[in-house]
């Protein structure tokens, strides 16, 4: 797993946050008592869940200590943040008696599962962690076949960089229909869909600035300083060709895949 820079990640907070709110909006939980955000990042979006569900205890979990350190500025009486791995999530470990005894009412996971090896294998455990009638909602990026990622992967195979980057897994996400099938097989009622956002970015090398905060981090962190400079220079040039600058900015098409599962009561 890469290390994370909350400040860099939040550079595009408004545009990165839109899928989170559209995901949460499709969760029809009424007065849940326990809500968990797996992969909560810097916590700004997690904090909004206390307003969405004013009776709930909300717990944010992220594997990045840097992200949790940033998130804790938002902590309060009903909002806690903890370093943890979603693969090991257990309602009994979050200090919520209701969740420990009955299961979690709502689990949210926004743009996180794509970082987990064989991520579909964790879905049964997440559904099992819900109480009867509970909700699981997640979103993953589906843009791995866009130039931002195909060029990154191709450059990583270059002989200059392959010793450091050649083994990085692209982790192409399946279509929404696959998650619908997986979650339906677990007995859930499922709402699954895909959306392509056209993010309008400002500034020089805007697509690089976006991707270097997320998908490119494993590549950039794998390289020693001297090779990283060459890699960044080449990657920026490729991105400029793939994403031309217009008078109104640079357009970054970004496909995202959503699934909301309702566990039977």
């Amino acid at each position: 797993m890469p290390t994370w820079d909350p400040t860099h990640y939040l550079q595009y907070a408004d545009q990165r946050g839109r899928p989170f709110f559209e995901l949460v909006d499709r969760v029809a939980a009424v007065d849940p008592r326990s809500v968990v955000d797996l992969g909560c990042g810097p916590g700004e979006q997690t904090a909004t869940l206390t307003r969405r569900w004013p009776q709930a205890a909300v717990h944010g979990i992220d594997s990045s200590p840097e992200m949790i350190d940033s998130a804790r500025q938002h902590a309060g009486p009903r909002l806690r943040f903890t370093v943890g791995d979603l693969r090991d999530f257990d309602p009994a470990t979050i200090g919520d008696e209701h969740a420990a005894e009955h299961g979690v009412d709502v689990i949210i996971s926004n743009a996180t599962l794509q970082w987990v090896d064989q991520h579909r294998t964790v879905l049964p455990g997440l559904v099992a962690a819900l109480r009867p009638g509970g909700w699981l909602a997640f979103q993953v990026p589906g843009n791995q076949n866009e130039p931002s990622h195909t060029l990154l992967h191709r450059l990583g195979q270059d002989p200059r960089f392959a010793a450091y980057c050649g083994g990085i897994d692209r982790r192409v996400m399946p279509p929404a229909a696959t998650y619908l099938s997986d979650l339906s097989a677990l007995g859930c009622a499922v709402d699954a869909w895909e959306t392509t956002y056209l993010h309008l970015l400002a500034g020089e090398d805007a697509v690089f600035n976006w991707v270097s905060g997320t998908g490119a981090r494993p590549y950039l962190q794998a390289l020693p300083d001297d090779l990283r400079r060459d890699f960044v220079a080449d990657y920026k040039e490729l991105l400029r060709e793939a994403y031309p600058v217009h008078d109104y900015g640079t357009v970054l098409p970004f496909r995202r895949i959503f699934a909301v599962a309702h566990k039977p009561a």
Side-chain angles (χ1 to χ4, degrees), residues 9 12-26 45 108-111 137-141 193 195-197 199 210 254-260:
Y9 183 84
Y12 298 103
D14 182 58
Q15 297 191 70
R16 293 192 197 279
R18 182 176 168 187
F20 174 89
F21 295 110
E22 294 184 2
L23 175 70
V24 171
D25 190 56
R26 302 289 276 270
Q45 295 166 5
I108 305 291
S109 186
N110 183 62
F138 62 86
Q139 176 270 129
V140 291
W193 71 99
T195 298
T196 297
Y197 298 89
H199 294 301
W210 176 291
F254 202 122
R255 172 174 165 255
R256 294 187 182 269
I257 303 161
F258 299 78
V260 175

Side-chain angles (χ1 to χ4, degrees), residues 76-243:
R78 292 190 295 110
L79 179 59
R80 298 175 58 198
F81 294 96
T82 305
V83 176
D85 190 325
L86 69 81
R87 294 170 295 185
D88 303 322
F89 176 66
D90 182 344
T93 65
I94 62 174
D96 183 324
E97 293 183 4
H98 172 79
E101 182 176 355
H102 303 287
V104 177
D105 295 307
V106 178
I107 296 175
I108 305 291
S109 186
N110 183 62
T112 299
L113 287 172
Q114 74 275 11
W115 297 108
V116 177
D117 290 329
Q118 304 298 318
H119 70 284
R120 289 168 57 204
T121 64
V122 309
L123 297 180
L126 296 181
V127 172
L130 296 172
R131 69 161 178 82
W135 296 79
L136 168 65
F138 62 86
Q139 176 270 129
V140 291
N143 63 334
Q144 292 85 9
N145 290 320
E146 291 296 315
S148 56
H149 285 63
T150 58
L151 293 172
L152 178 68
H153 181 69
R154 189 179 79 193
L155 188 59
Q157 307 304 307
D158 185 290
R160 294 172 294 164
F161 312 121
Y164 300 94
C165 301
I168 295 175
D169 187 352
R170 288 182 64 206
R171 291 179 177 159
V172 176
M173 297 295 105
T178 298
Y179 296 116
L180 189 152
S181 178
D182 289 345
L183 295 165
S184 295
L186 296 171
C188 297
V190 185
D191 180 12
W193 71 99
E194 301 180 9
T195 298
T196 297
Y197 298 89
L198 299 180
H199 294 301
L200 188 59
L201 308 180
E204 187 178 0
D205 293 316
V207 174
F208 174 81
N209 290 336
W210 176 291
V211 178
S212 63
T214 51
R217 290 189 73 81
Y219 292 82
L220 300 178
Q221 292 180 5
L223 292 162
D225 291 345
D226 56 337
L227 289 179
R228 186 183 304 113
R229 286 191 291 271
D230 293 340
F231 186 96
V232 167
D234 289 358
Y235 186 40
K236 283 183 176 179
E237 183 176 352
L238 291 168
L239 291 175
R240 291 184 200 116
E241 295 176 3
Y243 299 94

Side-chain angles (χ1 to χ4, degrees), residues 8-61:
H8 191 171
Y9 183 84
L10 288 169
Q11 181 178 356
Y12 298 103
D14 182 58
Q15 297 191 70
R16 293 192 197 279
R18 182 176 168 187
F20 174 89
F21 295 110
E22 294 184 2
L23 175 70
V24 171
D25 190 56
R26 302 289 276 270
V27 178
V30 178
D31 294 331
R33 292 180 57 184
S34 59
V35 175
V36 173
D37 184 4
L38 294 176
C40 63
E44 290 191 346
Q45 295 166 5
T46 314
T48 67
L49 299 178
T50 62
R51 299 191 291 274
R52 169 66 186 272
W53 292 300
Q55 305 304 316
V58 178
H59 201 110
I61 298 173

